[in-house]
Amino acid sequence: MRSRLLAVMFTVFGMFWSVQSWAEDAPKVVDAPLELKVANRSIMAFQATTLGEAPASRVKRAKAVIGEALDDADDLNVAIDPIMESYMVLLGSRRAFIVSPKDIDGTEYDSVQQAAEAAAARLRQVIAETREARNLQLILRSALAALIATGVYIGLLFGMLFVRRKVLKKLPELMHRHTQALKVGRVPLVDANFLYPLASRLLELVRWIVVMLFTYEWLGFVLSRFPYTRPWGESLNNYLLELGGYLLQGIVGAIPGLGVALAIFFIARGATAFMRRILRRMAVPGTLSWLNHETLQPTQRLTSLAIWLFALAMAYPYLPGAGTDAFKGLSVLIGLMISLGATSVVGQAAAGLILTYTRTLRPGEFVRIGDYEGTVTELGMFTTSIRTGLGEVLTLPNSMITGTVTKNYSRVVQGPGYVVDTVVTIGYDTPWRQVEAMLLEAAKRTPGVLEVPPAQVFQTALSDFYPEYRLVAQAIPSQPRPRAVLLSMLHANIQDVFNEYGVQIMSPHYLSDPQQEKWVPRDKWYPAPAQESKES
């Protein structure tokens, strides 16, 4: 008998141990939190299983108990009663629900008692609203208040329409009066015809904002008058108050940072003005060779840019919202844009600085850049503008100018003016002294070509069929188009002089040896207009 009893005990103990081990090894099921709502008002959120009941069962049981209690009586007493580590919320003599320690995990409550008292307070509010919903006199008062609020709301809307018509009627007169007062000399700074559409759109935007605000307040007030919709109205009002408090808190919190940013701004402004004065003093001739009246302005701009970039980097952390994701995204976008376009932009800017500090070009000089010729009108950081003799304005990238040969016709002349030159090719059977004399004669006949310094003729090449003669002279300073006219007049005079002395300008080309040798005998070295005294 004893052996059988021991066998049964060991069997039961083994089964209990197996069940316990299985329960420990089995995955634990986490119950989803479920909210208890009564009469459209949130009472409590159940998160744990209590007394074998899951959150769904607890909510279902609590709704049933509270509904039956409210159906039986309107005046119910709500109390809490501790039970071990939990608290039981009592509705009259009935247990409505239990608040356990696991129900407050991740919530704003510090203790189970505090959570139970808050749930009991909300339940008392539900009882009071249920009693109010069953009182016809209170419902009629609420409906009357809602009607009065609706009438005030409609009146405000019509008042806004009336004010809008009056303002739009007076707006043209006011704008014309104030825009006439804003003048620089006799020129108005703002045109009322362009400002009126902008002002009317701004007024329309303000009107819609005010209408939405009035609608929001009216809806929240009306919903708060009735027990069932009161939670919705309270949430609307609380959201507006929270939004206003958040904005006010953000504005107050941003004041110290804005103060620091403004201080950095004024310091940078003072430093910029100080550096401008220092650079103007250093630009005096004889102080620095690279700093003069031509490089002073770009140097001041670069110095100011460096100061303001440094100030922006210092003030950025103090700007409102500098640590938000929006600012971070904007910074990434700006950095991406700069990285994509920095190659060409930085290259053009560097080329502009090279042209400025090497003084390759100056405004007013006549230059030839590649295939383009004209007077420099503007030397910028990224582009250079030249005006041609045909009335065209060309904008050339600075990188192209630094990468090609630039001929400056104004830099080497004596005094103001520019160099004018042309090339002719004459056969070997024409004496070179006669060609030089005719070219100089054509230069003398051309208005605008200076006699001092005198024009010169150079034999630049002795080609197979003819020598090349280049006439170089200095012209008076003038606009680009007169220079083109001057070249045209010079070419016309060259043709006239050569025709007068019977010399053809057409250059010979041979397919075989000529029957007679192409040379000039000594007795024909000085035909007119050449003179023997010119021979060296």
Side-chain angles (χ1 to χ4, degrees):
M1 186 67 180
R2 177 179 290 182
S3 60
R4 288 184 179 181
L5 182 60
L6 290 175
V8 171
M9 290 177 61
F10 279 114
T11 303
V12 172
F13 180 76
M15 293 176 62
F16 176 75
W17 180 263
S18 300
V19 171
Q20 184 178 5
S21 301
W22 175 83
E24 291 178 354
D25 296 337
K28 296 182 179 180
V29 179
V30 179
D31 297 323
L34 199 62
E35 187 178 17
L36 171 61
K37 275 191 173 183
V38 179
N40 203 28
R41 186 172 292 278
S42 177
I43 304 298
M44 181 71 189
F46 298 136
Q47 304 187 48
T49 300
T50 304
L51 299 179
E53 292 183 345
S57 300
R58 295 173 64 189
V59 170
K60 183 177 180 180
R61 182 184 179 283
K63 283 185 177 181
V65 173
I66 295 172
E68 291 177 1
L70 292 176
D71 291 339
D72 294 342
D74 293 338
D75 190 7
L76 295 172
N77 183 31
V78 179
I80 61 173
D81 188 17
I83 174 173
M84 298 181 67
E85 295 181 356
S86 303
Y87 276 84
M88 184 168 52
V89 179
L90 300 176
L91 186 59
S93 59
R94 301 182 182 181
R95 174 173 65 89
F97 53 86
I98 296 176
V99 181
S100 65
K102 294 183 179 180
D103 289 329
I104 66 172
D105 292 341
T107 62
E108 58 183 1
Y109 302 110
D110 298 329
S111 63
V112 181
Q113 182 180 0
Q114 184 181 2
E117 290 177 351
R122 287 190 285 268
L123 188 57
R124 293 189 190 98
Q125 188 175 4
V126 169
I127 295 172
E129 290 175 349
T130 303
R131 185 167 57 250
E132 180 182 350
R134 295 174 182 176
N135 190 329
L136 181 59
Q137 185 178 1
L138 295 178
I139 293 297
L140 291 177
R141 288 180 181 177
S142 300
L144 180 61
L147 289 175
I148 294 174
T150 304
V152 173
Y153 168 70
I154 295 175
L156 289 174
L157 293 182
F158 279 103
M160 286 189 56
L161 290 176
F162 177 77
V163 172
R164 177 175 176 271
R165 293 194 190 99
K166 290 292 184 182
V167 171
L168 290 178
K169 187 176 181 180
K170 293 286 184 181
L171 187 60
E173 180 183 354
L174 293 174
M175 294 178 59
H176 181 74
R177 185 192 310 166
H178 290 288
T179 52
Q180 289 298 323
L182 297 174
K183 290 184 178 180
V184 176
R186 296 184 179 180
V187 180
L189 293 177
V190 181
D191 191 355
N193 296 328
F194 294 100
L195 191 60
Y196 180 78
L198 177 62
S200 60
R201 289 190 181 96
L202 288 176
L203 287 176
E204 189 70 14
L205 178 62
V206 171
R207 185 176 76 88
W208 278 109
I209 292 175
V210 175
V211 167
M212 293 175 64
L213 183 61
F214 284 165
T215 305
Y216 191 93
E217 288 294 331
W218 167 79
L219 184 61
F221 179 82
V222 171
L223 293 177
S224 299
R225 296 305 95 196
F226 302 96
Y228 187 79
T229 59
R230 189 168 296 159
W232 298 341
E234 291 175 353
S235 62
L236 290 176
N237 294 330
N238 291 335
Y239 176 76
L240 188 61
L241 292 176
E242 290 176 359
L243 180 61
Y246 173 76
L247 293 177
L248 181 61
Q249 183 180 1
I251 293 173
V252 173
I255 290 176
L258 285 176
V260 175
L262 286 175
I264 295 174
F265 168 78
F266 286 114
I267 293 174
R269 185 177 179 182
T272 302
F274 176 75
M275 289 303 300
R276 285 179 180 273
R277 290 193 293 269
I278 293 295
L279 290 174
R280 279 198 296 267
R281 293 181 181 180
M282 296 175 64
V284 176
T287 305
L288 294 176
S289 59
W290 58 271
L291 188 61
N292 49 41
H293 70 281
E294 296 177 359
T295 59
L296 175 61
Q297 187 176 4
T299 304
Q300 288 179 341
R301 291 179 180 176
L302 290 175
T303 306
S304 300
L305 179 62
I307 292 175
W308 282 111
L309 288 177
F310 181 75
L312 179 61
M314 293 294 294
Y316 177 81
Y318 299 99
L319 295 177
T324 59
D325 294 337
F327 260 73
K328 294 177 182 178
L330 181 62
S331 302
V332 172
L333 177 61
I334 294 176
L336 181 61
M337 294 173 61
I338 292 175
S339 63
L340 291 177
T343 304
S344 60
V345 173
V346 173
Q348 297 291 348
L353 294 177
I354 292 173
L355 293 178
T356 300
Y357 286 98
T358 57
R359 286 175 281 181
T360 304
L361 303 176
R362 295 174 185 171
E365 292 182 338
F366 196 90
V367 298
R368 182 176 183 85
I369 303 171
D371 297 331
Y372 308 104
E373 183 177 285
T375 300
V376 179
T377 58
E378 183 181 357
L379 182 61
M381 179 169 288
F382 301 101
T383 59
T384 297
S385 299
I386 63 173
R387 189 168 58 247
T388 66
L390 302 177
E392 302 170 337
V393 177
L394 305 179
T395 301
L396 306 178
N398 288 335
S399 60
M400 188 202 78
I401 299 175
T402 56
T404 188
V405 177
T406 300
K407 295 182 179 180
N408 196 322
Y409 295 99
S410 302
R411 187 64 59 86
V412 296
V413 299
Q414 298 179 7
Y418 52 84
V419 173
V420 59
D421 63 335
T422 186
V423 177
V424 294
T425 55
I426 308 299
Y428 285 103
D429 53 347
T430 303
W432 62 267
R433 297 173 181 84
Q434 183 184 21
V435 176
E436 287 189 5
M438 288 188 293
L439 290 176
L440 294 176
E441 177 65 24
K444 290 180 181 179
R445 295 184 184 183
T446 304
V449 175
L450 300 179
E451 295 183 359
V452 178
Q456 292 179 292
V457 178
F458 300 93
Q459 298 188 37
T460 57
L462 297 176
S463 302
D464 293 337
F465 308 128
Y466 45 73
E468 293 183 359
Y469 301 90
R470 179 181 293 272
L471 173 63
V472 180
Q474 182 174 340
I476 60 174
S478 60
Q479 297 297 322
R481 182 162 181 78
R483 183 184 186 277
V485 175
L486 186 143
L487 282 174
S488 178
M489 295 172 59
L490 178 61
H491 292 159
N493 290 329
I494 290 175
Q495 294 185 62
D496 291 341
V497 172
F498 275 63
N499 289 331
E500 291 176 5
Y501 292 100
V503 177
Q504 69 173 9
I505 299 180
M506 184 181 296
S507 301
H509 286 261
Y510 298 105
L511 298 178
S512 61
D513 291 335
Q515 296 179 357
Q516 297 180 354
E517 296 180 355
K518 296 294 184 180
W519 61 281
V520 181
R522 188 176 183 85
D523 58 348
K524 294 183 179 180
W525 280 6
Y526 302 99
Q531 299 177 6
E532 189 173 355
S533 60
K534 291 182 62 66
E535 184 180 2
S536 57

